Amino acid sequence: MARTQEFDTARALRDARSVFWDKGFESTTIADLEAATGLGRSSIYHGFESKRGLFDAVINDYMDTVLRPRLSLLTHPEEPGGGIDGYLASLACSLKEAAETAGGRGCLLLNTAAGIAGKDATLQLLISGYQLELRHCVGTALKTMDPGQTDPLLAARARIVAGLIMAALLLARINLEESVATLGAARTQVRDWVGQR
């Protein structure tokens, strides 16, 4: 008979996320995860099969609960704080708040890109997929602001802004001021493009 899971998965993922975010995948031990989640080793292995299984579940949950909801600001400009300017301002505020409460963690996904993903094809695909998703959402927001842009120009602009966002998220862990300034530069660039219409 299969064993019944006796823990709150969402809470376990949040608690494990905190450890992976602070220490990175490779430096995190099962003992660290046991302490953070309150789960025993057997529960972790039963629920997620391995440390890597738990990490993958954490990354997927982070994408679904943190990254993608924020991307919706780009594709739904009618929402309060929506559109590209609202997205960039919201992201800068989030990075500042995170620095105050959690000591400047940056983006879990991009921290992973700078670490384990360099040696892991599955994570490389996941991160590349997110980068394409971000660029598509930025392109959608730019097209909404200026429907007359040609496709090649729109694609180039979306690549520039998405690249600045990715750079800012990577910088956030080590230099919050520069990260926020990079997002500000992206906002300025977008305003300049719209002003050229």
Side-chain angles (χ1 to χ4, degrees), residues 134-136 138-140 142 153-163 193:
L134 172 63
R135 192 166 66 206
H136 171 76
V138 167
T140 299
L142 290 172
L153 180 60
L154 180 64
R157 287 177 171 177
R159 188 179 301 276
I160 290 167
V161 174
W193 288 333

Side-chain angles (χ1 to χ4, degrees), residues 49-191:
E49 297 182 4
S50 64
K51 179 177 97 168
R52 175 55 191 267
L54 177 53
F55 181 73
D56 288 345
V58 163
I59 290 291
N60 286 316
D61 179 68
Y62 178 74
M63 290 182 72
D64 290 342
T65 61
V66 176
L67 296 180
R68 288 194 176 109
R70 187 174 286 135
L71 288 180
S72 73
L73 291 174
L74 290 166
T75 55
H76 295 90
E78 69 281 355
E79 290 181 14
I84 196 152
D85 196 65
Y87 169 84
L88 292 167
S90 169
L91 186 55
C93 285
S94 293
L95 292 175
K96 288 177 191 173
E97 288 171 12
E100 290 171 9
T101 60
R105 292 175 161 175
C107 172
L108 177 60
L109 187 66
L110 296 185
N111 293 351
T112 301
I116 185 178
K119 303 173 270 190
D120 188 293
T122 302
L123 285 171
Q124 288 171 0
L125 284 172
L126 182 76
I127 293 164
S128 293
Y130 173 72
Q131 191 270 335
L132 291 172
E133 192 174 347
L134 172 63
R135 192 166 66 206
H136 171 76
C137 291
V138 167
T140 299
L142 290 172
K143 186 75 169 177
T144 300
M145 292 174 71
D146 184 0
Q149 295 175 82
T150 64
D151 287 342
L153 180 60
L154 180 64
R157 287 177 171 177
R159 188 179 301 276
I160 290 167
V161 174
L164 288 170
I165 292 166
M166 299 281 277
L169 291 172
L170 275 171
L171 281 168
R173 188 170 183 114
I174 57 169
N175 188 336
L176 177 66
E177 188 175 313
E178 187 60 27
S179 173
V180 171
T182 300
L183 292 171
R187 291 177 78 185
T188 299
Q189 185 60 69
V190 169
R191 288 175 183 155

Side-chain angles (χ1 to χ4, degrees), residues 34-45:
E34 287 177 299
T37 63
L39 301 176
R41 182 176 303 254
S42 62
S43 292
I44 291 172
Y45 283 106

